[in-house]
Structure formats: C-alpha cells, structure tokens
Amino acid sequence: MSADAELSSILNRRQQINEALDNGQAVKPTFKVVNIYTEFHEFSRKEIKDYQATFSKYDVGNDGYLDLAELKIMMEKLGAPQTHLGLKGMIAEVDEDKDGKISFREFLLIYRKARAGELVSDSGLGQLARLTEINVDEVGVGGAKSFFEAKIEQQLRTNKFHDEIRQEQEERRRMEEERVLRRQQFQQRAAVFQ
C-alpha cells in the first residue's frame, strides 16, 4: 500500500468514526496487527520467546488467548490465586479489544507496564509480573548483581534485534553447510560401492 493510499485510508476511517460519534453510535475499535518484536522493543527476542513459552503453557485451549479459567489456573500455579472478580479485573486492565480474554500481545503489555512501574504491586497483574522477576533471596546478591548487569548491558545495545537475527541466520547457514558437507561425504562413500 502506498503512503498516499494508507493516509487516505486512515483519514477515511477517522471521518467514519467522527460521523458515527456525532450520530450517537458506538464505535468498535479496530486494531492493526503489528510485529511483536518491533512493537515491544524493550524486550529482547529471547525474553519474548520466554514469555511466549509461558503464555503457551497456560493456553490449554490453544486458541491464542488466556481466558478467565486459564488465567485462574496460571495464577494458582504461580502461587498467587485470585478471586473471580480479581481475575476479571486483571483481564480488564490489559484487554484492549474488550473481548474478555488476554491475547499474547496483551500478555506482553503486563510486562511492559511492570517495567514502567504502572502496575499496583498488590494487584493481580503486579503479582504476576513480580513472580517472573528475579528473587534476591533465591539467587543471592551475586546473582542479582549479574542479573542487573545483564539488564543494563541489554539496554545499552542499540541493534539487539539485528544482532540476534544475524546470529540465528549464521546458525542456520552453518547447519546448512554441515548438511551439504555430510551429503557430499555420503555420496563419495556410496560411489565406492557402485
């Protein structure tokens, strides 16, 4: 889509919203699908993959959402059980599309809010975020020091995604070269028997 067409589309949508609001009609918000890695630039690719693994572990319905029951099980297993109303409040705090479920993108919003200090520590989401952070009592001061030094180093890297992607591509390239080499060696050995 060209820049002019995109701008025209945005302005037309804005005009439709304004007209609907002027007529007293409710306007359902629409959300654009974006790349998680670019939208949540404060997290490394590894962190996002770890969050994805946690999300998938509790998404027992495999529908891409954590519903009320799945969130309840998650909080119980993390050792911070919540009341029914508490769970509904947790969902409402990050449920941008108002569907009553937490998508993976909304799940990442929990951690973004936690890093920004926007969560009340006693709230369910605050407990969820805190349970995934480092515990100095368990790892000791040396472990906490290493953890925070690693966090600072991570924040100082400007092209962390490019570096990680480059490393993944190098690994794939190396594996492909090894596969080709093994194939050639096999063909040379097989030629002896022909």
Side-chain angles (χ1 to χ4, degrees):
M1 178 183 282
S2 71
D4 290 338
E6 185 177 1
L7 179 60
S8 176
S9 171
I10 292 170
L11 292 174
N12 286 336
R13 171 74 177 144
R14 174 52 46 201
Q15 182 64 32
Q16 291 171 353
I17 291 171
N18 288 341
E19 288 174 0
L21 291 174
D22 288 342
N23 294 333
Q25 299 171 342
V27 178
K28 184 176 180 181
T30 58
F31 297 96
K32 189 176 187 179
V33 176
V34 295
N35 184 330
I36 293 293
Y37 296 105
T38 56
E39 180 180 359
F40 292 91
H41 54 84
E42 64 266 40
F43 302 124
S44 69
R45 290 174 58 87
K46 183 181 180 333
E47 285 176 309
I48 291 176
K49 288 178 181 180
D50 290 344
Y51 292 142
Q52 178 71 50
T54 301
F55 182 85
S56 297
K57 177 180 175 182
Y58 294 105
D59 179 20
V60 293
N62 292 324
D63 60 355
Y65 295 95
L66 290 178
D67 60 22
L68 191 70
E70 292 167 335
L71 185 61
K72 178 180 188 270
I73 292 169
M74 178 182 191
M75 294 304 291
E76 287 172 354
K77 287 189 178 182
L78 290 174
Q82 300 290 312
T83 65
H84 186 77
L85 291 175
L87 292 167
K88 282 189 164 193
M90 288 173 64
I91 291 173
E93 195 169 340
V94 292
D95 188 14
E96 290 185 332
D97 56 3
K98 308 293 183 219
D99 62 355
K101 301 181 278 189
I102 297 176
S103 67
F104 179 61
R105 183 186 171 283
E106 293 166 341
F107 187 70
L108 288 176
L109 288 176
I110 296 168
Y111 299 100
R112 173 181 276 173
K113 288 182 174 199
R115 283 198 182 174
E118 297 174 2
L119 294 178
V120 177
S121 61
D122 294 342
S123 73
L125 292 181
Q127 290 177 344
L128 173 63
R130 192 172 56 252
L131 290 170
T132 60
E133 292 295 326
I134 190 165
N135 185 345
V136 177
D137 293 336
E138 292 175 7
V139 297
V141 175
K145 178 181 180 263
S146 300
F147 173 81
F148 289 112
E149 285 174 348
K151 284 290 189 183
I152 290 169
E153 179 183 325
Q154 172 192 335
Q155 289 176 350
L156 294 177
R157 283 187 283 159
T158 56
N159 293 325
K160 64 183 175 188
F161 288 121
H162 296 293
D163 293 342
E164 290 173 350
I165 290 170
R166 192 174 306 115
Q167 288 172 355
E168 289 174 4
Q169 289 172 340
E170 285 294 319
E171 178 68 18
R172 274 190 240 118
R173 184 189 54 76
R174 186 185 57 75
M175 290 174 65
E176 180 62 24
E177 288 174 356
E178 289 175 1
R179 188 188 68 75
V180 168
L181 182 62
R182 283 193 311 270
R183 180 76 179 153
Q184 288 174 346
Q185 290 172 346
F186 175 78
Q187 288 175 345
Q188 289 173 350
R189 290 180 189 137
V192 171
F193 295 107
Q194 292 180 356

